Amino acid sequence: MGAVDVIILHPLPSPTAGPLETALAGVRLDLAERNRSAFLAGGAETARVVAGPPDQRPFGVRLSELRAGLGPGRGLVILGSGALPLATPADLRAFVAAATAAEPLALVNNRYSADVVAVSATANAILGRLPDAFPTDNALPRWLAEVGGVRVVDLRGRWRLAMDLDSPLDAILVAAGQTDRLPASLAPAAARLGPVVDAVRAILTDRRAELVVAGRASAATLGWLERAARCRVRALVEERGLRASSSLALGDPASASPRRPRSILGMVLDAGGPGVVGDRLAELGDGAVVDTRVLLAHRLGGDEAAWPSAGARFASDLLDPRGVDDPWLAELTAAATAAPIPILLGGHSLVGPGIRLVGSRS
């Protein structure tokens, strides 16, 4: 078997980060250290956490610098510090094994929006052609397959591998009510969210009820809802690939679509204002799970730099409008908390594996 290096990227909170960003960074760092040890136990020769302050460098530049410090002829596994909180030892061994393959091979948790990518030594060499301007790791599998000619295998069938800690809400859902697994600073938020999570879970078990799911839900999530939920489900799937779509991933920078991200629910809020979100969703179902990042992209564009701060988004996810310093998002959050139905707000993980965690919470 060839040698395999594992690199776990961990963004440090900025000096001006608020308590929610700091708490999430701590949870992610703990997870990164657990995964580092587990990858070593799973056969990797080296595994390290690379931490650094947030900056504007594209992923292509960052990956080039990281690869320059590795020896030739080695497999590589690269992931973010929030990835794989639900992975088993067998899952991690699979990524290490893929990185030892003799052929140009990549194994990913999802080829359309990857959080972890394992590449064999020959595929690692092909990464030397990755453009410095390549924006994000999410689109790396598409570039490997469509530009690099690498065989990409994904593990979308293992839903637990889709969970990523992008928000304190995700950490709370993974902890499943066990507050001793969370920083003390998140305990009040977990307590505040508990009744809403329980109410959505009750809807999932009620054959007379209907749940609205809005955002980047996958076919796998909808399939699980079809099999496991007793309620009816009204799904509004929008802007899948919001972060992973890249013209560079397709090898054609000129192919970028001029279309901005658009959302049907966003158009409803354009007409009535964010304060109507609770009433409109209550017309559609008995509870709702909403990916607010799609709404922000609809309103402000796909570049997260134009969105409300991470701290504001996190406070919204935790249903705390007082912690949201953006007026539009604060009004949306307040309306969701005051709605006549339970509404959970969050990101991609919430409308994906997060729904399963809500459904299985005891």
Side-chain angles (χ1 to χ4, degrees):
M1 295 178 65
V4 175
D5 300 305
V6 177
I7 297 176
I8 304 173
L9 300 176
H10 176 66
L12 296 171
S14 70
T16 60
L20 293 180
E21 294 169 85
T22 301
L24 178 62
V27 172
R28 288 171 60 112
L29 184 58
D30 288 345
L31 172 62
E33 290 293 348
R34 292 199 304 273
N35 279 339
R36 185 188 68 82
S37 297
F39 272 115
L40 290 172
E45 182 171 298
T46 71
R48 59 192 174 108
V49 178
V50 178
D55 56 41
Q56 301 304 313
R57 291 184 303 160
F59 176 73
V61 170
R62 192 183 306 276
L63 183 59
S64 177
E65 293 174 354
L66 292 169
R67 292 182 63 256
L70 303 175
R74 302 172 69 88
L76 174 65
V77 181
I78 188 162
L79 63 152
S81 59
L84 306 181
L86 302 176
T88 67
D91 293 327
L92 302 189
R93 287 195 299 270
F95 286 107
V96 174
T100 67
E103 64 174 305
L105 175 70
L107 182 69
V108 302
N109 66 322
N110 188 320
R111 69 180 296 146
Y112 297 108
S113 184
D115 302 305
V116 53
V117 179
V119 293
S120 63
T122 48
N124 190 4
I126 293 170
L127 285 177
R129 294 158 36 198
L130 189 74
D132 284 346
F134 202 82
T136 173
D137 58 338
N138 298 114
L140 186 57
R142 294 196 71 177
W143 183 90
L144 284 166
E146 300 190 33
V147 180
V150 174
R151 184 167 72 92
V152 175
V153 178
D154 79 18
L155 297 175
R156 276 177 289 169
R158 303 184 190 184
W159 71 269
R160 60 187 177 275
L161 301 183
M163 193 66 194
D164 191 74
L165 303 185
D166 283 329
S167 165
L169 171 64
D170 303 328
I172 289 170
L173 293 178
V174 167
Q178 301 178 38
T179 54
D180 59 333
R181 295 171 56 186
L182 293 169
S185 59
L186 292 182
R192 181 172 59 251
L193 284 169
V196 184
V197 172
D198 290 342
V200 172
R201 179 172 181 266
I203 290 168
L204 286 167
T205 63
D206 184 353
R207 62 184 175 84
R208 298 177 178 84
E210 184 167 11
L211 180 69
V212 180
V213 178
R216 293 166 290 174
S218 69
T221 296
L222 298 180
W224 177 82
L225 287 167
E226 181 74 15
R227 296 190 305 272
R230 297 190 67 194
C231 67
R232 291 179 295 151
V233 175
R234 183 190 299 267
L236 184 60
V237 179
E238 303 186 295
E239 294 300 339
R240 284 191 54 77
L242 177 65
R243 296 177 62 184
S245 296
S246 167
S247 57
L248 287 175
L250 304 177
D252 183 8
S255 69
S257 170
R259 185 185 65 79
R260 286 167 52 94
R262 304 304 288 163
S263 162
I264 295 172
L265 181 56
M267 292 176 186
V268 171
L269 302 185
D270 287 344
V276 306
V277 67
D279 291 338
R280 295 294 84 79
L281 289 173
E283 294 181 57
L284 300 174
D286 302 290
V289 179
V290 179
D291 178 358
T292 60
R293 279 49 169 182
V294 170
L295 302 180
L296 293 174
H298 167 88
R299 182 169 178 265
L300 301 169
D303 185 356
E304 292 185 16
W307 295 2
S309 68
R313 301 195 302 268
F314 295 165
S316 177
D317 296 345
L318 300 179
L319 302 180
D320 180 14
R322 298 169 301 174
V324 182
D325 57 10
D326 177 82
W328 187 92
L329 186 58
E331 185 177 352
L332 177 88
T333 306
T337 61
I341 62 171
I343 299 175
L344 286 172
L345 306 177
H348 181 263
S349 290
L350 173 63
V351 296
I355 295 179
R356 300 194 191 213
L357 295 178
V358 170
S360 63
R361 185 182 180 205
S362 59

